[in-house]
Amino acid sequence: MIPSITDIHIDELQAKTGLTFDQERRKAIKEFNDIQACPGSGKTTLIAAKLILLAKSWKQNTSGICVLSHTNVAKNEIVSRLESDEYGRKLLSYPHFIGTIQEFVNRFLALPFCRSKSIEIKRIDDEVCFNYIDSKLSWKARRYLDGKPKASISNLQIRYVNGGFKIVVPGFKKTSTSDSYKNLYSIKKAMMKDGVFFYREMFEYAKAYLDINPNVIRSIRSRFPLALVDEMQDTSFVQDEIINKIFSYEGGAFQRLGDSDQAIFSGGEEDSSNSYNDLQLQIINTSHRFNPSVANLASRLSTNKVKLISSQLVNNAQPHTIYIVDEQNRPRVLSAFAQLCGNNLPLDEKHPIKAVGGIGKTKPEGLTIKHYFSNFDKSNSSKNFKPDKMIEYFRKTQKITTCNSDGYKIVLDGIRRLFSIAGFEYIPLSQLKGMIKDSPKCNEINQKIIGIQSSDLNDSQGWGHNIKELLTVLGLLDKYALLTEFISYVAPIAIADNEFVPVNMFVERVNGRNISIVVDTIHAVKGETHSATLLLETKFHEYDVHQMLDYIIGVKSKKPTGVRKPKFMKQLYVAMTRPKHLIGIAIDKSRIPEAKRKVAIENGWNIVDLTVGN
């Protein structure tokens, strides 16, 4: 029996927490309708509130609530809210489950199937698989794939089709007797024998398990009579298929939350809408994030024509600016935006300023973030953090002011790479944490980590001494030769006044204070709140800002069609809904004629031409 939630329960929670839930949000908490929640709507707060109220009245000891999310970030946000509440903490253990869709599929479907078929799983990791294949690829196969632009070694995977498994060999539509085909096929067979698999392949084993053992669905439904899915818009076709097969049934309590206007992660081989994104959903369109002027401009990029409403009563309109650039002046836009922010943002504003673009990878004939900021390194992106040097993990922790455990996890990720480079088997982060906790040198290891975190990481000699001591307490000093490159010192990027700034950050002094702009990809900043955001035009076959310009300046509202325009709209919507105060956009002068500049000004934009006088 699922506990019911009433307005009285919500009133009690409001009195306890100081939160306020309007009628839209109350309806979402009390019922199990699918929800489209706009950026800054407080979706995580709503989910946590609902879970706490359910937990308070939950009586079943062997059946629980299943909460699924697309990413670890979203999962951790929910968990952190529940940890702070006496009832919420009950949901963090049996019989409940809170995790990513991948974790759920692995635990309850894929791994049980593999155990039943004696399929050994040693490592589930896309990067490990890619490196495994790359290291064994023959020169003939490599040359063959180079001539097939759409074929990637990442697609060398198994698929469950018509009741059986088959190996998909990239670049080949059918079985071949060629040397290249034989090489790729043999690599895949060796991977399977060694127990190395892609994340995506676990869903194939899950499909097989559901196919041959229908009772597993009844078992999971009995264990989890109630399921909530966060970030539903980003689920792939196969994830959507499995989730619906298990949880969407007559009499089941099943609720999906997300924002189909922000569906920018699903794609690739399964470039298809899921069942959630194609629906007309109950909408929460009031945002606590941005001011009314940002809401007005960003609404133009809503695929579902959601009219965003700011909860802020005062409309402190900001000089949202379109910067006109050319090839010579593109790098100037960061300085111009820094000046704009320095002159207009509140002095006490703590949220970051970011410049974002759709394409981060260097492309010879394209337009990427590096054309605006030549130092940009995608490997140091906030959600793709995998630097070349161990020291960068510690530098990253020095920037974290919110939670010590976040910094510790970053260091553990670096230590995990130390063990991997040293030749050890893959160690999950949770297992590494347990190994350190159980180690007789636990205190020494943690003290050394804390010591390095608080040390001067611009001192090469000090770093050399500290990292050797860390290797010693970890028992890795004898692997020093293998680790030399990864643990070697590298200086941070210096700016003129001898202060140091991290990679992917532009800094300029404005009105006596440093204005720092973090440069990143649009995908990396999804879910974030910025004080101001600068959108950099990039090119993926076509120029994204140019393709969306008529929507941006308010002269077009019909939903775009085709292959790329709908994707561009969602990516730009994500970018334009990050900032609280201020939006900037950079576009090439050849793609915004004089007539459209005038329309832009009439419809709420300032225009600054950085090509004039140069």
Side-chain angles (χ1 to χ4, degrees):
M1 183 71 179
I2 307 300
S4 60
I5 298 174
T6 67
D7 282 314
I8 294 174
H9 295 136
I10 297 173
D11 290 340
E12 290 172 350
L13 184 66
Q14 285 188 157
K16 177 182 175 182
T17 63
L19 297 170
T20 302
F21 298 100
D22 59 16
Q23 289 306 310
E24 286 179 334
R25 289 165 176 79
R26 283 173 177 255
K27 185 177 182 182
I29 291 172
K30 292 186 291 183
E31 300 174 358
F32 288 92
N33 298 323
D34 291 335
I35 304 294
Q36 178 178 354
C38 77
S41 60
K43 174 168 60 71
T44 304
T45 300
L46 185 153
I47 292 171
K50 181 166 190 159
L51 291 172
I52 287 168
L53 291 174
L54 287 167
K56 189 174 181 180
S57 303
W58 198 267
K59 304 299 182 185
Q60 302 175 63
N61 295 322
T62 57
S63 295
I65 302 170
C66 180
V67 185
L68 303 178
S69 65
H70 188 66
T71 64
N72 280 308
V73 172
K75 176 192 77 173
N76 292 336
E77 285 180 359
I78 294 170
V79 168
S80 67
R81 306 289 179 94
L82 298 178
E83 282 177 334
S84 62
D85 183 88
E86 59 178 314
Y87 299 108
R89 285 192 289 274
K90 294 180 181 179
L91 301 182
L92 303 180
S93 57
Y94 181 86
H96 310 285
F97 177 85
I98 300 175
T100 64
I101 298 170
Q102 183 78 53
E103 289 170 339
F104 174 83
V105 165
N106 288 357
R107 182 183 299 186
F108 294 101
L109 299 171
L111 296 182
F113 172 80
C114 290
R115 285 193 292 269
S116 72
K117 299 295 181 180
S118 299
I119 299 171
E120 189 174 20
I121 305 289
K122 289 183 179 178
R123 191 85 175 261
I124 307 170
D125 189 309
D126 286 356
E127 185 181 5
V128 170
C129 288
F130 183 93
N131 292 335
Y132 186 107
I133 298 167
D134 189 61
S135 68
K136 297 180 182 298
L137 201 62
S138 69
W139 69 269
K140 274 188 177 181
R142 193 180 302 277
R143 188 175 65 178
Y144 175 80
L145 292 176
D146 286 344
K148 302 277 185 179
K150 293 185 178 180
S152 169
I153 58 174
S154 295
N155 295 328
L156 183 59
Q157 299 190 26
I158 59 162
R159 290 292 179 264
Y160 182 71
V161 181
N162 298 326
F165 291 98
K166 72 170 187 176
I167 294 175
V168 176
V169 180
F172 293 90
K173 293 183 179 180
K174 59 183 180 179
T175 303
S176 170
T177 58
S178 72
D179 290 342
S180 296
Y181 182 92
K182 290 177 180 177
N183 176 238
L184 287 163
Y185 190 87
S186 66
I187 292 172
K188 185 59 191 174
K189 295 292 284 186
M191 285 176 68
M192 295 169 68
K193 184 178 179 181
D194 290 342
V196 180
F197 293 89
F198 287 94
Y199 293 117
R200 172 64 178 77
E201 292 176 301
M202 294 301 103
F203 290 90
E204 298 304 309
Y205 286 135
K207 286 163 61 177
Y209 196 40
L210 293 172
D211 192 22
I212 67 172
N213 186 8
N215 289 330
V216 74
I217 294 179
R218 287 193 289 272
S219 176
I220 293 175
R221 287 176 180 174
S222 176
R223 166 76 184 273
F224 302 115
L226 190 163
L228 299 179
V229 185
D230 188 17
E231 294 185 319
M232 186 64 199
Q233 78 281 347
D234 287 327
T235 54
S236 67
F237 182 83
V238 68
Q239 291 172 334
D240 185 49
E241 182 183 39
I242 289 173
I243 291 170
N244 283 326
K245 193 169 187 176
I246 295 173
F247 294 116
S248 183
Y249 63 98
E250 190 72 32
F254 179 44
Q255 185 173 33
R256 304 176 297 179
L257 302 96
D259 183 1
S260 53
D261 282 344
Q262 298 186 76
I264 65 172
F265 280 105
S266 58
E269 65 169 295
E270 299 160 348
D271 191 6
S272 172
S273 297
N274 62 38
S275 61
Y276 171 88
N277 291 339
D278 293 338
L279 296 177
Q280 290 295 314
L281 304 164
Q282 179 181 326
I283 295 172
I284 297 176
N285 66 334
T286 305
S287 176
H288 307 306
R289 176 179 295 158
F290 33 71
N291 63 38
S293 64
V294 171
N296 180 52
L297 294 178
S299 293
R300 299 172 184 172
L301 276 296
S302 168
T303 301
N304 292 323
K305 305 306 163 196
V306 174
K307 180 64 178 175
L308 298 173
I309 299 172
S310 170
S311 62
Q312 299 175 24
L313 299 177
V314 179
N315 185 11
N316 294 321
Q318 295 282 358
H320 307 293
T321 301
I322 295 175
Y323 294 96
I324 298 171
V325 299
D326 56 19
E327 187 174 352
Q328 180 183 350
N329 292 287
R330 279 193 194 102
R332 291 183 57 206
V333 72
L334 290 168
S335 175
F337 194 61
Q339 293 289 330
L340 187 73
C341 293
N343 292 325
N344 290 279
L345 293 181
L347 292 173
D348 59 351
E349 178 56 63
K350 300 300 183 185
H351 286 92
I353 303 167
K354 294 205 173 184
V356 300
I359 305 296
K361 290 182 179 178
T362 303
K363 294 184 181 291
E365 297 180 1
L367 177 61
T368 74
I369 294 171
K370 286 180 78 72
H371 288 91
Y372 300 88
F373 187 65
S374 60
N375 289 327
F376 181 70
D377 180 359
K378 191 180 179 186
S379 68
N380 281 317
S381 170
S382 58
K383 290 188 181 174
N384 189 35
F385 185 68
K386 193 169 184 183
D388 294 331
K389 303 289 184 181
M390 181 68 188
I391 194 171
E392 296 297 350
Y393 285 93
F394 284 100
R395 285 186 177 138
K396 180 88 168 176
T397 68
Q398 290 186 340
K399 301 173 213 165
I400 294 176
T401 58
T402 53
C403 179
N404 288 335
S405 64
D406 290 340
Y408 188 62
K409 287 177 185 175
I410 289 169
V411 173
L412 286 185
D413 199 34
I415 291 174
R416 180 167 63 173
R417 285 186 68 191
L418 284 172
F419 278 98
S420 179
I421 294 168
F424 289 85
E425 284 288 323
Y426 174 78
I427 307 171
L429 213 58
S430 57
Q431 185 179 331
L432 176 60
K433 192 174 181 180
M435 286 168 58
I436 292 175
K437 186 177 180 181
D438 296 338
S439 168
K441 293 190 176 182
C442 176
N443 288 336
E444 288 181 70
I445 294 170
N446 288 327
Q447 286 301 316
K448 194 67 238 174
I449 289 172
I450 293 169
I452 297 176
Q453 283 178 303
S454 59
S455 69
D456 180 4
L457 295 177
N458 300 326
D459 175 9
S460 61
Q461 287 187 333
W463 166 255
H465 174 76
N466 284 329
I467 191 63
K468 277 191 175 181
E469 289 193 344
L470 180 61
L471 293 180
T472 300
V473 295
L474 290 171
L476 290 174
L477 192 60
D478 61 331
K479 304 289 186 180
Y480 189 87
L482 292 171
L483 298 168
T484 300
E485 179 63 25
F486 183 56
I487 64 174
S488 62
Y489 176 82
V490 62
I493 295 174
I495 55 176
D497 59 1
N498 293 324
E499 292 181 21
F500 287 97
V501 297
V503 175
N504 297 346
M505 183 178 287
F506 172 88
V507 178
E508 183 158 316
R509 200 158 186 83
V510 181
N511 297 335
R513 60 172 171 156
N514 280 346
I515 299 296
S516 301
I517 302 177
V518 177
V519 185
D520 219 330
T521 63
I522 293 172
H523 284 75
V525 301
K526 190 179 175 200
E528 295 182 354
T529 297
H530 306 163
S531 59
T533 306
L534 172 64
L535 171 61
L536 306 171
E537 182 181 45
T538 59
K539 181 182 179 182
F540 178 71
H541 298 286
E542 297 175 293
Y543 296 98
D544 49 15
V545 173
H546 176 237
Q547 291 297 316
M548 291 294 107
L549 184 59
D550 285 348
Y551 296 92
I552 291 169
I553 64 176
V555 297
K556 196 172 186 179
S557 59
K558 186 178 179 181
K559 184 182 293 189
T561 57
V563 176
R564 299 185 187 95
K565 287 184 181 180
K567 293 180 181 179
F568 288 157
M569 175 169 272
K570 291 181 178 184
Q571 287 177 5
L572 269 56
Y573 180 79
V574 167
M576 291 178 62
T577 52
R578 298 310 96 203
K580 294 171 61 179
H581 304 288
L582 194 56
I583 302 172
I585 297 178
I587 184 172
D588 193 274
K589 68 176 182 180
S590 65
R591 293 185 283 276
I592 180 167
E594 188 61 39
K596 291 192 175 182
R597 300 180 195 189
K598 291 179 180 178
V599 173
I601 293 170
E602 292 169 0
N603 289 341
W605 291 99
N606 286 359
I607 298 288
V608 172
D609 191 341
L610 297 178
T611 70
V612 174
N614 288 281

